[in-house]
Amino acid sequence: MHALLVEDDDRMAQALGTALAQRGHTVRRVARALDALRHVREAEFVLLDLGLPDLDGIELLRRLRTVCDAPLIVVTARCEERDIVQGLRAGADDYVVKPFRMAELMARIDTVRRRTDTHSTGTAVTGGEPVRTGDVEVDLAGRTVTVAGDEVRLTRREFDVLAMLAARPGEVHSREEILDRIWGDAFLAASRSLDVHVAGIRAKTGRSGLVRTVRGFGYQLGSPSPTSRGESDGAR
């Protein structure tokens, strides 16, 4: 498994590189955003520090997501809630704050890889006819979403959440069920992430009712009502 490690701190890069190599990964370490963009297409997963010298890490994350859909975990000292929300909305599959336990990070990498490997085989998403609600169409097999005929780009996890709801329209899914299915072993640390991803679906589709909150329990696919693109109601 080829890992791209984007980290400008030499000591941290050495520790991460050693841990990954011990688990059988081939590691390419880069310290600058330009090099990350140059080599990301070769990567099977990415570890990204946000504190790079040549480009803000969130902006780099957005750019990486335009050219690569490999699993990506942010590993950073930025611990403010707004930074975590920005990272998840920009396309990170997970967000780990420094300092961290190496064993926990390795477990998170395994979880993200298992989930994305499952999706790549097509076994985690039900195929068949696209699901339509209002002017929104969710193609479960093709992993695409269109609103009024225009394709909307969701992150992998945003699509996973929407696909889970669309596969069984009308059924209410508990938060625990969604977290367990989408986040797997890391679901206990991902509760806030679910709220962020639901808000992202609503904002990017411009349909506040597409994901309906069942207060105190979870979510279900709803009948979308138009909103201004970028607007979203509370995820809880």
Side-chain angles (χ1 to χ4, degrees):
M1 180 68 69
H2 181 76
L4 177 64
L5 173 58
V6 188
E7 172 61 71
D8 66 327
D9 182 275
D10 290 338
R11 293 179 66 180
M12 177 60 70
Q14 182 176 2
L16 287 169
T18 298
L20 290 168
Q22 288 174 345
R23 296 175 67 87
H25 301 298
T26 301
V27 182
R28 179 187 292 275
R29 181 261 178 131
V30 299
R32 302 180 67 85
L34 183 61
D35 293 326
L37 288 165
R38 181 180 298 120
H39 295 292
V40 71
R41 291 178 179 84
E42 309 161 7
E44 294 176 274
F45 72 91
V46 181
L47 295 182
L48 173 64
D49 177 35
L50 298 182
L52 299 176
D54 56 334
L55 185 67
D56 177 71
I58 296 295
E59 177 58 28
L60 173 58
L61 174 53
R62 294 192 182 102
R63 295 187 188 184
L64 292 173
R65 274 295 177 234
T66 66
V67 297
C68 175
D69 199 37
L72 189 152
I73 298 176
V74 168
V75 183
T76 180
R78 297 186 189 178
C79 60
E80 297 294 328
E81 182 179 34
R82 65 176 179 273
D83 295 317
I84 298 172
V85 169
Q86 280 186 328
L88 293 169
R89 284 181 172 169
D93 292 287
D94 204 347
Y95 194 107
V96 178
V97 176
K98 301 174 183 176
F100 55 86
R101 293 181 176 89
M102 191 65 74
E104 178 186 352
L105 176 61
M106 295 300 114
R108 286 175 179 264
I109 291 171
D110 290 343
T111 297
V112 168
R113 283 181 51 208
R114 280 199 304 271
R115 192 191 68 255
T116 53
D117 287 347
T118 298
H119 290 320
S120 69
T121 64
T123 59
V125 178
T126 304
E129 292 296 318
V131 176
R132 296 179 179 83
T133 176
D135 61 355
V136 178
E137 180 176 288
V138 183
D139 184 344
L140 301 176
R143 294 183 64 83
T144 60
V145 178
T146 58
V147 177
D150 295 325
E151 185 171 350
V152 175
R153 289 184 60 86
L154 301 181
T155 67
R156 182 190 296 107
R157 275 189 170 167
E158 287 169 348
F159 184 87
D160 290 344
V161 172
L162 182 57
M164 183 175 176
L165 303 180
R168 291 182 283 177
E171 182 173 334
V172 180
H173 299 265
S174 70
R175 293 176 59 84
E176 292 75 16
E177 180 188 1
I178 297 170
L179 288 166
D180 183 58
R181 172 82 177 273
I182 306 301
W183 275 264
D185 295 340
F187 82 95
L188 290 176
S191 183
R192 176 56 183 161
S193 298
L194 175 57
D195 300 329
V196 170
H197 285 76
V198 167
I201 294 168
R202 291 167 172 165
K204 291 177 181 179
T205 61
R207 300 294 183 266
S208 61
L210 180 59
V211 178
R212 177 174 172 267
T213 300
V214 180
R215 196 164 299 279
F217 186 75
Y219 300 101
Q220 69 178 157
L221 190 70
S223 299
S225 55
T227 61
S228 299
R229 191 60 67 85
E231 177 186 347
S232 64
D233 56 355
R236 280 199 176 275

